[in-house]
Amino acid sequence: MAAGALTAVTWQVIVGGPVTALDWPVHAFVDPRQPEGPLLWAAVATARLGQRLITIPLLVGLAIWAMRRGRGWRPLGAVLTGLGSLAVLGTLLKVGVGRSPPVLEVDTVSPGAGNIAAWVYALLVPGAPPFDGYVSFPSGHAANAALTYPLAAWLLFGANGVFPHARRLRYALGCSLLPVAAVGVLVTVLDYHWLSESVAGWLLGAVVLLVALLVLEARTPDRAAPPHQHAMSQVMADEPPGSG
């Protein structure tokens, strides 16, 4: 569902469909009303919760913690899968769609495989001129947040997490939606991205999150379940480990 919605939003951005109808009005509203002083500092600091300098260390640190508690390779595998998938899909979308950011006061889209070829050429060929295309769609901050904070909840309280506990997982997942929503809203309010780019970022993050969870929660056909999986089955039944 998330992949289909992301595909639909991407197509709408390319063709200038109804999904993008609010992009310019929202930009026209927020551009002259930028926050100032402490409010600006707080808004920028919150939006930076979607930066890789924060999200990567957080996820890798939680994965290593889970591994040290005997959860095997899956936590780190899930994190690397999620981050790698986001880097690849996000870059392909940004370069392939070629949308300009709202700060330029113009909304242009120049999609095509030629963009990707030019980007690869600039990246790999020594002395090549830098890639000069637009790369605003989708919002990387929104995508990073949508992957990071729900996945962090699973790394803490999921079956292969640090402290497996079903009820805490549900609560943590609910709380994780707060930074996800805040980052997507603020990159639009601060006029870094068009509204539809934040929506697409959320959807992209959801897609790669599902991929990461396939790795994290996959079960191997072992003869005996590891002790932490037995503990998780107990907390799923609201029983303290060691009772009964």
Side-chain angles (χ1 to χ4, degrees):
M1 181 181 296
L6 176 61
T7 301
V9 172
T10 302
W11 169 67
Q12 285 285 288
V13 167
I14 291 174
V15 301
V19 168
T20 66
L22 290 176
D23 284 350
W24 190 266
V26 170
H27 160 68
F29 179 81
V30 301
D31 183 54
R33 296 175 174 84
Q34 290 299 294
E36 298 178 351
L39 189 58
L40 174 60
W41 181 91
V44 171
T46 303
R48 285 178 178 171
L49 292 175
Q51 280 190 336
R52 294 190 188 97
L53 288 176
I54 294 176
T55 61
I56 291 177
L58 173 62
L59 290 179
V60 172
L62 288 174
I64 293 174
W65 190 9
M67 292 173 66
R68 289 178 63 87
R69 289 182 62 87
R71 305 309 186 235
W73 62 270
R74 294 192 185 280
L76 186 58
V79 167
L80 295 179
T81 298
L83 293 174
S85 300
L86 180 55
V88 172
L89 292 176
T91 299
L92 290 177
L93 279 172
K94 281 180 173 291
V95 175
V97 172
R99 192 182 191 187
S100 59
V103 68
L104 297 182
E105 293 293 341
V106 61
D107 184 6
T108 63
V109 181
S110 302
N115 294 348
I116 298 175
W119 178 81
V120 171
Y121 179 80
L123 180 68
L124 299 179
V125 177
F131 178 73
D132 60 357
Y134 298 125
V135 291
S136 188
F137 176 91
S139 167
H141 281 64
N144 285 331
L147 166 67
T148 298
Y149 299 104
L151 183 54
W154 255 287
L155 289 169
L156 281 170
F157 303 118
N160 288 310
V162 179
F163 306 109
H165 196 288
R167 285 182 295 178
R168 291 176 183 173
L169 174 60
R170 291 192 292 269
Y171 179 77
L173 286 173
C175 292
S176 74
L177 298 180
L178 296 177
V180 173
V183 171
V185 169
L186 285 173
V187 294
T188 299
V189 170
L190 293 170
D191 217 24
Y192 298 158
H193 284 283
W194 304 102
L195 176 61
S196 61
E197 294 177 346
S198 293
V199 173
W202 284 328
L203 293 172
L204 174 59
V207 170
V208 297
L209 172 64
L210 294 174
V211 175
L213 291 178
L214 288 177
V215 177
L216 181 63
E217 297 297 312
R219 296 183 179 274
T220 55
D222 297 333
R223 291 184 179 179
H228 76 274
Q229 288 190 2
H230 176 64
M232 187 59 182
S233 66
Q234 289 178 315
V235 298
M236 288 294 287
D238 291 329
E239 300 175 5
S243 65

Short mmCIF file of all heavy atoms in Angstrom, two decimals, residues 104-168:
data_model
loop_
_atom_site.label_atom_id
_atom_site.label_comp_id
_atom_site.label_asym_id
_atom_site.label_seq_id
_atom_site.Cartn_x
_atom_site.Cartn_y
_atom_site.Cartn_z
N LEU A 104 13.44 28.58 -4.62
CA LEU A 104 13.73 29.19 -5.92
C LEU A 104 12.53 29.96 -6.47
O LEU A 104 12.65 30.60 -7.53
CB LEU A 104 14.15 28.11 -6.93
CG LEU A 104 15.44 27.36 -6.62
CD1 LEU A 104 15.76 26.36 -7.73
CD2 LEU A 104 16.60 28.35 -6.44
N GLU A 105 11.40 29.89 -5.76
CA GLU A 105 10.18 30.60 -6.18
C GLU A 105 9.67 30.14 -7.54
O GLU A 105 9.03 30.90 -8.27
CB GLU A 105 10.42 32.12 -6.20
CG GLU A 105 10.63 32.73 -4.84
CD GLU A 105 9.38 32.67 -3.97
OE1 GLU A 105 8.29 32.51 -4.52
OE2 GLU A 105 9.51 32.78 -2.73
N VAL A 106 9.97 28.91 -7.90
CA VAL A 106 9.45 28.33 -9.13
C VAL A 106 9.35 26.83 -8.92
O VAL A 106 10.19 26.23 -8.23
CB VAL A 106 10.36 28.64 -10.34
CG1 VAL A 106 11.76 28.06 -10.14
CG2 VAL A 106 9.74 28.13 -11.64
N ASP A 107 8.29 26.24 -9.45
CA ASP A 107 8.08 24.80 -9.30
C ASP A 107 8.25 24.15 -10.67
O ASP A 107 7.35 24.17 -11.50
CB ASP A 107 6.68 24.54 -8.75
CG ASP A 107 6.45 23.05 -8.47
OD1 ASP A 107 7.40 22.27 -8.60
OD2 ASP A 107 5.30 22.70 -8.12
N THR A 108 9.43 23.59 -10.89
CA THR A 108 9.71 22.92 -12.15
C THR A 108 10.08 21.47 -11.88
O THR A 108 10.70 21.15 -10.87
CB THR A 108 10.86 23.61 -12.91
OG1 THR A 108 12.06 23.52 -12.13
CG2 THR A 108 10.54 25.06 -13.18
N VAL A 109 9.72 20.62 -12.81
CA VAL A 109 10.04 19.20 -12.74
C VAL A 109 10.65 18.78 -14.07
O VAL A 109 10.07 19.02 -15.12
CB VAL A 109 8.78 18.35 -12.44
CG1 VAL A 109 9.14 16.87 -12.34
CG2 VAL A 109 8.12 18.81 -11.15
N SER A 110 11.83 18.16 -14.00
CA SER A 110 12.52 17.71 -15.21
C SER A 110 12.88 16.24 -15.05
O SER A 110 14.05 15.89 -14.77
CB SER A 110 13.78 18.54 -15.46
OG SER A 110 13.47 19.91 -15.58
N PRO A 111 11.89 15.35 -15.19
CA PRO A 111 12.15 13.93 -14.94
C PRO A 111 12.85 13.25 -16.10
O PRO A 111 12.82 13.74 -17.24
CB PRO A 111 10.74 13.37 -14.74
CG PRO A 111 9.89 14.23 -15.62
CD PRO A 111 10.50 15.60 -15.56
N GLY A 112 13.46 12.11 -15.81
CA GLY A 112 14.05 11.32 -16.89
C GLY A 112 15.23 10.49 -16.43
O GLY A 112 15.93 10.85 -15.48
N ALA A 113 15.45 9.38 -17.15
CA ALA A 113 16.59 8.53 -16.85
C ALA A 113 17.90 9.23 -17.15
O ALA A 113 18.94 8.88 -16.59
CB ALA A 113 16.48 7.23 -17.65
N GLY A 114 17.85 10.24 -18.03
CA GLY A 114 19.06 10.99 -18.33
C GLY A 114 19.62 11.69 -17.12
O GLY A 114 20.85 11.87 -17.00
N ASN A 115 18.75 12.09 -16.21
CA ASN A 115 19.21 12.70 -14.96
C ASN A 115 20.09 11.73 -14.18
O ASN A 115 21.15 12.11 -13.65
CB ASN A 115 18.02 13.10 -14.09
CG ASN A 115 17.19 14.20 -14.70
OD1 ASN A 115 17.58 14.83 -15.67
ND2 ASN A 115 16.02 14.41 -14.14
N ILE A 116 19.64 10.49 -14.09
CA ILE A 116 20.38 9.49 -13.33
C ILE A 116 21.72 9.21 -13.99
O ILE A 116 22.75 9.10 -13.32
CB ILE A 116 19.55 8.21 -13.19
CG1 ILE A 116 18.25 8.51 -12.42
CG2 ILE A 116 20.34 7.11 -12.50
CD1 ILE A 116 17.29 7.35 -12.33
N ALA A 117 21.71 9.11 -15.33
CA ALA A 117 22.97 8.88 -16.05
C ALA A 117 23.94 10.03 -15.82
O ALA A 117 25.14 9.82 -15.60
CB ALA A 117 22.69 8.71 -17.54
N ALA A 118 23.44 11.27 -15.84
CA ALA A 118 24.31 12.43 -15.61
C ALA A 118 24.84 12.44 -14.19
O ALA A 118 26.00 12.79 -13.94
CB ALA A 118 23.53 13.71 -15.90
N TRP A 119 23.99 12.04 -13.23
CA TRP A 119 24.44 12.01 -11.84
C TRP A 119 25.51 10.95 -11.63
O TRP A 119 26.52 11.20 -10.96
CB TRP A 119 23.24 11.72 -10.93
CG TRP A 119 23.59 11.61 -9.49
CD1 TRP A 119 23.80 12.63 -8.60
CD2 TRP A 119 23.79 10.40 -8.75
NE1 TRP A 119 24.12 12.13 -7.35
CE2 TRP A 119 24.11 10.77 -7.42
CE3 TRP A 119 23.71 9.04 -9.09
CZ2 TRP A 119 24.37 9.82 -6.44
CZ3 TRP A 119 23.96 8.10 -8.10
CH2 TRP A 119 24.27 8.50 -6.79
N VAL A 120 25.32 9.76 -12.22
CA VAL A 120 26.31 8.69 -12.09
C VAL A 120 27.62 9.12 -12.75
O VAL A 120 28.72 8.87 -12.22
CB VAL A 120 25.78 7.38 -12.72
CG1 VAL A 120 26.88 6.33 -12.80
CG2 VAL A 120 24.59 6.86 -11.93
N TYR A 121 27.53 9.77 -13.92
CA TYR A 121 28.73 10.23 -14.61
C TYR A 121 29.50 11.24 -13.75
O TYR A 121 30.72 11.15 -13.60
CB TYR A 121 28.33 10.87 -15.95
CG TYR A 121 29.49 11.42 -16.74
CD1 TYR A 121 30.29 10.57 -17.51
CD2 TYR A 121 29.80 12.78 -16.73
CE1 TYR A 121 31.35 11.06 -18.23
CE2 TYR A 121 30.86 13.29 -17.45
CZ TYR A 121 31.64 12.43 -18.20
OH TYR A 121 32.71 12.92 -18.91
N ALA A 122 28.77 12.19 -13.17
CA ALA A 122 29.42 13.19 -12.32
C ALA A 122 30.03 12.56 -11.08
O ALA A 122 31.05 13.04 -10.56
CB ALA A 122 28.41 14.27 -11.92
N LEU A 123 29.43 11.47 -10.59
CA LEU A 123 29.91 10.82 -9.38
C LEU A 123 31.14 9.97 -9.63
O LEU A 123 32.07 9.94 -8.80
CB LEU A 123 28.79 9.95 -8.79
CG LEU A 123 29.10 9.19 -7.50
CD1 LEU A 123 29.28 10.17 -6.34
CD2 LEU A 123 28.00 8.19 -7.19
N LEU A 124 31.17 9.29 -10.77
CA LEU A 124 32.20 8.28 -10.99
C LEU A 124 33.36 8.71 -11.87
O LEU A 124 34.46 8.15 -11.76
CB LEU A 124 31.56 7.02 -11.61
CG LEU A 124 30.49 6.33 -10.78
CD1 LEU A 124 29.95 5.11 -11.52
CD2 LEU A 124 31.03 5.92 -9.41
N VAL A 125 33.16 9.69 -12.72
CA VAL A 125 34.20 10.08 -13.67
C VAL A 125 35.05 11.20 -13.09
O VAL A 125 34.53 12.28 -12.78
CB VAL A 125 33.58 10.54 -15.01
CG1 VAL A 125 34.66 11.01 -15.97
CG2 VAL A 125 32.77 9.39 -15.63
N PRO A 126 36.36 10.97 -12.91
CA PRO A 126 37.23 12.02 -12.37
C PRO A 126 37.25 13.25 -13.28
O PRO A 126 37.35 13.13 -14.50
CB PRO A 126 38.60 11.35 -12.31
CG PRO A 126 38.32 9.88 -12.29
CD PRO A 126 37.08 9.71 -13.12
N GLY A 127 37.13 14.42 -12.68
CA GLY A 127 37.17 15.66 -13.43
C GLY A 127 35.87 16.04 -14.10
O GLY A 127 35.80 17.10 -14.75
N ALA A 128 34.82 15.21 -13.95
CA ALA A 128 33.53 15.53 -14.56
C ALA A 128 32.89 16.70 -13.83
O ALA A 128 33.06 16.85 -12.62
CB ALA A 128 32.62 14.32 -14.53
N PRO A 129 32.14 17.53 -14.54
CA PRO A 129 31.44 18.64 -13.86
C PRO A 129 30.41 18.08 -12.89
O PRO A 129 29.85 17.01 -13.12
CB PRO A 129 30.78 19.41 -15.00
CG PRO A 129 30.68 18.42 -16.13
CD PRO A 129 31.87 17.52 -15.99
N PRO A 130 30.13 18.80 -11.81
CA PRO A 130 29.14 18.31 -10.83
C PRO A 130 27.75 18.26 -11.42
O PRO A 130 27.41 19.03 -12.34
CB PRO A 130 29.24 19.33 -9.69
CG PRO A 130 29.79 20.57 -10.34
CD PRO A 130 30.70 20.10 -11.42
N PHE A 131 26.95 17.37 -10.91
CA PHE A 131 25.56 17.27 -11.34
C PHE A 131 24.81 18.53 -10.92
O PHE A 131 24.86 18.93 -9.76
CB PHE A 131 24.91 16.03 -10.70
CG PHE A 131 23.46 15.87 -11.04
CD1 PHE A 131 23.07 15.47 -12.31
CD2 PHE A 131 22.47 16.12 -10.09
CE1 PHE A 131 21.72 15.31 -12.63
CE2 PHE A 131 21.13 15.96 -10.40
CZ PHE A 131 20.76 15.56 -11.67
N ASP A 132 24.15 19.16 -11.86
CA ASP A 132 23.52 20.45 -11.58
C ASP A 132 22.00 20.40 -11.64
O ASP A 132 21.34 21.43 -11.73
CB ASP A 132 24.04 21.52 -12.54
CG ASP A 132 23.75 21.18 -14.01
OD1 ASP A 132 23.20 20.09 -14.27
OD2 ASP A 132 24.07 22.02 -14.88
N GLY A 133 21.43 19.19 -11.58
CA GLY A 133 19.97 19.08 -11.62
C GLY A 133 19.35 19.34 -10.26
O GLY A 133 20.03 19.39 -9.23
N TYR A 134 18.04 19.51 -10.23
CA TYR A 134 17.31 19.72 -8.98
C TYR A 134 17.04 18.37 -8.30
O TYR A 134 16.78 17.37 -8.98
CB TYR A 134 15.99 20.44 -9.25
CG TYR A 134 16.16 21.81 -9.84
CD1 TYR A 134 15.53 22.16 -11.04
CD2 TYR A 134 16.96 22.76 -9.23
CE1 TYR A 134 15.67 23.43 -11.59
CE2 TYR A 134 17.12 24.02 -9.76
CZ TYR A 134 16.48 24.35 -10.96
OH TYR A 134 16.63 25.60 -11.49
N VAL A 135 17.09 18.37 -6.98
CA VAL A 135 16.93 17.11 -6.22
C VAL A 135 16.06 17.34 -4.98
O VAL A 135 16.37 16.85 -3.90
CB VAL A 135 18.30 16.53 -5.82
CG1 VAL A 135 19.06 16.03 -7.04
CG2 VAL A 135 19.13 17.58 -5.07
N SER A 136 14.94 18.03 -5.13
CA SER A 136 14.12 18.38 -3.98
C SER A 136 13.11 17.31 -3.60
O SER A 136 12.71 17.22 -2.44
CB SER A 136 13.38 19.70 -4.24
OG SER A 136 12.73 20.15 -3.08
N PHE A 137 12.67 16.49 -4.55
CA PHE A 137 11.62 15.50 -4.29
C PHE A 137 12.22 14.10 -4.15
O PHE A 137 13.00 13.68 -5.01
CB PHE A 137 10.62 15.48 -5.45
CG PHE A 137 9.56 14.41 -5.32
CD1 PHE A 137 8.36 14.69 -4.70
CD2 PHE A 137 9.77 13.15 -5.84
CE1 PHE A 137 7.39 13.70 -4.58
CE2 PHE A 137 8.80 12.16 -5.72
CZ PHE A 137 7.62 12.44 -5.09
N PRO A 138 11.84 13.35 -3.10
CA PRO A 138 11.01 13.71 -1.94
C PRO A 138 11.86 14.28 -0.82
O PRO A 138 13.09 14.36 -0.94
CB PRO A 138 10.41 12.37 -1.54
CG PRO A 138 11.51 11.39 -1.86
CD PRO A 138 12.18 11.92 -3.11
N SER A 139 11.25 14.64 0.29
CA SER A 139 11.98 15.17 1.43
C SER A 139 12.78 14.06 2.10
O SER A 139 12.22 13.10 2.64
CB SER A 139 11.01 15.77 2.45
OG SER A 139 11.67 16.01 3.68
N GLY A 140 14.10 14.20 2.09
CA GLY A 140 14.95 13.22 2.76
C GLY A 140 14.78 13.24 4.27
O GLY A 140 14.85 12.20 4.93
N HIS A 141 14.57 14.44 4.83
CA HIS A 141 14.37 14.54 6.28
C HIS A 141 13.12 13.78 6.71
O HIS A 141 13.13 13.04 7.70
CB HIS A 141 14.25 16.00 6.71
CG HIS A 141 15.56 16.70 6.82
ND1 HIS A 141 16.37 16.92 5.73
CD2 HIS A 141 16.20 17.26 7.88
CE1 HIS A 141 17.46 17.57 6.12
NE2 HIS A 141 17.38 17.78 7.42
N ALA A 142 12.02 13.96 5.98
CA ALA A 142 10.78 13.26 6.32
C ALA A 142 10.95 11.76 6.17
O ALA A 142 10.45 10.97 6.99
CB ALA A 142 9.63 13.77 5.45
N ALA A 143 11.65 11.33 5.12
CA ALA A 143 11.87 9.90 4.90
C ALA A 143 12.75 9.31 5.99
O ALA A 143 12.47 8.21 6.50
CB ALA A 143 12.50 9.68 3.52
N ASN A 144 13.82 10.01 6.35
CA ASN A 144 14.69 9.52 7.42
C ASN A 144 13.92 9.36 8.72
O ASN A 144 14.09 8.36 9.44
CB ASN A 144 15.85 10.50 7.64
CG ASN A 144 16.89 10.41 6.55
OD1 ASN A 144 17.09 9.37 5.94
ND2 ASN A 144 17.58 11.51 6.30
N ALA A 145 13.09 10.35 9.05
CA ALA A 145 12.32 10.27 10.29
C ALA A 145 11.32 9.11 10.26
O ALA A 145 11.16 8.39 11.25
CB ALA A 145 11.59 11.59 10.53
N ALA A 146 10.65 8.92 9.12
CA ALA A 146 9.65 7.86 9.02
C ALA A 146 10.26 6.48 9.12
O ALA A 146 9.59 5.53 9.55
CB ALA A 146 8.87 8.01 7.71
N LEU A 147 11.51 6.34 8.72
CA LEU A 147 12.21 5.06 8.91
C LEU A 147 12.74 4.94 10.33
O LEU A 147 12.57 3.90 10.98
CB LEU A 147 13.38 4.96 7.92
CG LEU A 147 14.41 3.85 8.22
CD1 LEU A 147 13.78 2.48 8.05
CD2 LEU A 147 15.64 4.00 7.34
N THR A 148 13.36 5.99 10.83
CA THR A 148 14.18 5.90 12.04
C THR A 148 13.39 5.65 13.31
O THR A 148 13.68 4.71 14.07
CB THR A 148 15.02 7.17 12.21
OG1 THR A 148 15.90 7.29 11.08
CG2 THR A 148 15.83 7.13 13.49
N TYR A 149 12.38 6.46 13.57
CA TYR A 149 11.77 6.42 14.90
C TYR A 149 10.85 5.21 15.12
O TYR A 149 10.90 4.60 16.19
CB TYR A 149 11.12 7.76 15.19
CG TYR A 149 12.18 8.83 15.18
CD1 TYR A 149 12.33 9.71 14.11
CD2 TYR A 149 13.12 8.90 16.20
CE1 TYR A 149 13.36 10.65 14.06
CE2 TYR A 149 14.15 9.84 16.18
CZ TYR A 149 14.27 10.70 15.10
OH TYR A 149 15.30 11.61 15.07
N PRO A 150 10.06 4.78 14.12
CA PRO A 150 9.36 3.51 14.31
C PRO A 150 10.32 2.32 14.40
O PRO A 150 10.11 1.41 15.21
CB PRO A 150 8.46 3.41 13.07
CG PRO A 150 8.26 4.82 12.64
CD PRO A 150 9.56 5.50 12.92
N LEU A 151 11.38 2.32 13.58
CA LEU A 151 12.34 1.22 13.65
C LEU A 151 13.06 1.21 14.99
O LEU A 151 13.35 0.14 15.55
CB LEU A 151 13.35 1.33 12.51
CG LEU A 151 14.39 0.20 12.40
CD1 LEU A 151 13.72 -1.16 12.35
CD2 LEU A 151 15.28 0.42 11.18
N ALA A 152 13.34 2.39 15.54
CA ALA A 152 13.95 2.46 16.87
C ALA A 152 13.05 1.82 17.91
O ALA A 152 13.52 1.14 18.84
CB ALA A 152 14.24 3.91 17.23
N ALA A 153 11.73 2.03 17.78
CA ALA A 153 10.79 1.40 18.72
C ALA A 153 10.88 -0.11 18.63
O ALA A 153 10.88 -0.81 19.66
CB ALA A 153 9.36 1.88 18.42
N TRP A 154 10.95 -0.65 17.41
CA TRP A 154 11.07 -2.10 17.25
C TRP A 154 12.41 -2.61 17.78
O TRP A 154 12.48 -3.70 18.36
CB TRP A 154 10.92 -2.48 15.78
CG TRP A 154 9.60 -3.10 15.46
CD1 TRP A 154 9.17 -4.35 15.79
CD2 TRP A 154 8.51 -2.50 14.75
NE1 TRP A 154 7.90 -4.58 15.33
CE2 TRP A 154 7.47 -3.46 14.68
CE3 TRP A 154 8.32 -1.26 14.14
CZ2 TRP A 154 6.26 -3.21 14.05
CZ3 TRP A 154 7.12 -1.01 13.50
CH2 TRP A 154 6.10 -1.97 13.47
N LEU A 155 13.47 -1.84 17.58
CA LEU A 155 14.78 -2.26 18.08
C LEU A 155 14.82 -2.28 19.61
O LEU A 155 15.59 -3.04 20.21
CB LEU A 155 15.88 -1.34 17.54
CG LEU A 155 16.18 -1.48 16.05
CD1 LEU A 155 17.08 -0.34 15.59
CD2 LEU A 155 16.83 -2.83 15.74
N LEU A 156 14.01 -1.46 20.22
CA LEU A 156 13.95 -1.45 21.68
C LEU A 156 13.02 -2.53 22.23
O LEU A 156 13.39 -3.27 23.15
CB LEU A 156 13.49 -0.08 22.17
CG LEU A 156 14.54 1.03 22.19
CD1 LEU A 156 13.88 2.37 22.47
CD2 LEU A 156 15.62 0.73 23.23
N PHE A 157 11.81 -2.65 21.66
CA PHE A 157 10.78 -3.47 22.30
C PHE A 157 10.20 -4.57 21.42
O PHE A 157 9.30 -5.29 21.86
CB PHE A 157 9.64 -2.57 22.79
CG PHE A 157 10.09 -1.49 23.73
CD1 PHE A 157 9.95 -0.15 23.40
CD2 PHE A 157 10.68 -1.81 24.94
CE1 PHE A 157 10.36 0.85 24.27
CE2 PHE A 157 11.10 -0.82 25.82
CZ PHE A 157 10.95 0.52 25.49
N GLY A 158 10.69 -4.72 20.20
CA GLY A 158 10.21 -5.79 19.34
C GLY A 158 10.76 -7.15 19.77
O GLY A 158 11.57 -7.26 20.69
N ALA A 159 10.34 -8.21 19.09
CA ALA A 159 10.74 -9.57 19.46
C ALA A 159 12.25 -9.75 19.41
O ALA A 159 12.82 -10.52 20.19
CB ALA A 159 10.06 -10.58 18.53
N ASN A 160 12.92 -9.06 18.51
CA ASN A 160 14.38 -9.13 18.40
C ASN A 160 15.03 -7.85 18.89
O ASN A 160 16.13 -7.50 18.46
CB ASN A 160 14.80 -9.41 16.96
CG ASN A 160 14.47 -10.84 16.54
OD1 ASN A 160 14.81 -11.79 17.23
ND2 ASN A 160 13.77 -10.99 15.43
N GLY A 161 14.35 -7.15 19.79
CA GLY A 161 14.88 -5.90 20.30
C GLY A 161 15.58 -6.05 21.64
O GLY A 161 15.80 -7.16 22.14
N VAL A 162 15.94 -4.92 22.22
CA VAL A 162 16.70 -4.91 23.46
C VAL A 162 15.86 -5.41 24.62
O VAL A 162 16.30 -6.24 25.43
CB VAL A 162 17.21 -3.48 23.75
CG1 VAL A 162 17.98 -3.45 25.07
CG2 VAL A 162 18.10 -2.98 22.61
N PHE A 163 14.61 -4.91 24.73
CA PHE A 163 13.72 -5.28 25.82
C PHE A 163 12.38 -5.75 25.24
O PHE A 163 11.43 -4.96 25.19
CB PHE A 163 13.48 -4.10 26.77
CG PHE A 163 14.73 -3.48 27.32
CD1 PHE A 163 15.13 -2.22 26.90
CD2 PHE A 163 15.52 -4.15 28.24
CE1 PHE A 163 16.28 -1.63 27.39
CE2 PHE A 163 16.67 -3.57 28.74
CZ PHE A 163 17.06 -2.32 28.32
N PRO A 164 12.26 -6.97 24.75
CA PRO A 164 11.01 -7.41 24.11
C PRO A 164 9.81 -7.24 25.03
O PRO A 164 9.78 -7.76 26.14
CB PRO A 164 11.28 -8.89 23.82
CG PRO A 164 12.77 -9.02 23.77
CD PRO A 164 13.28 -8.04 24.77
N HIS A 165 8.84 -6.48 24.54
CA HIS A 165 7.63 -6.25 25.35
C HIS A 165 6.55 -5.69 24.43
O HIS A 165 6.70 -4.60 23.86
CB HIS A 165 7.94 -5.26 26.48
CG HIS A 165 6.92 -5.25 27.56
ND1 HIS A 165 5.66 -4.71 27.41
CD2 HIS A 165 6.97 -5.72 28.84
CE1 HIS A 165 4.98 -4.84 28.53
NE2 HIS A 165 5.75 -5.45 29.42
N ALA A 166 5.46 -6.43 24.28
CA ALA A 166 4.44 -6.08 23.30
C ALA A 166 3.77 -4.76 23.61
O ALA A 166 3.57 -3.92 22.72
CB ALA A 166 3.40 -7.19 23.21
N ARG A 167 3.37 -4.56 24.86
CA ARG A 167 2.66 -3.32 25.20
C ARG A 167 3.56 -2.10 25.08
O ARG A 167 3.15 -1.05 24.60
CB ARG A 167 2.08 -3.42 26.61
CG ARG A 167 0.83 -4.30 26.69
CD ARG A 167 0.26 -4.32 28.08
NE ARG A 167 1.19 -4.94 29.03
CZ ARG A 167 0.95 -5.05 30.33
NH1 ARG A 167 -0.17 -4.57 30.84
NH2 ARG A 167 1.83 -5.63 31.14
N ARG A 168 4.82 -2.23 25.51
CA ARG A 168 5.75 -1.11 25.36
C ARG A 168 6.02 -0.82 23.89
O ARG A 168 6.22 0.33 23.51
CB ARG A 168 7.05 -1.43 26.09
CG ARG A 168 6.91 -1.45 27.61
CD ARG A 168 8.20 -1.86 28.28
NE ARG A 168 8.03 -1.96 29.73
CZ ARG A 168 8.96 -2.42 30.55
NH1 ARG A 168 10.12 -2.85 30.06
NH2 ARG A 168 8.74 -2.48 31.84
#
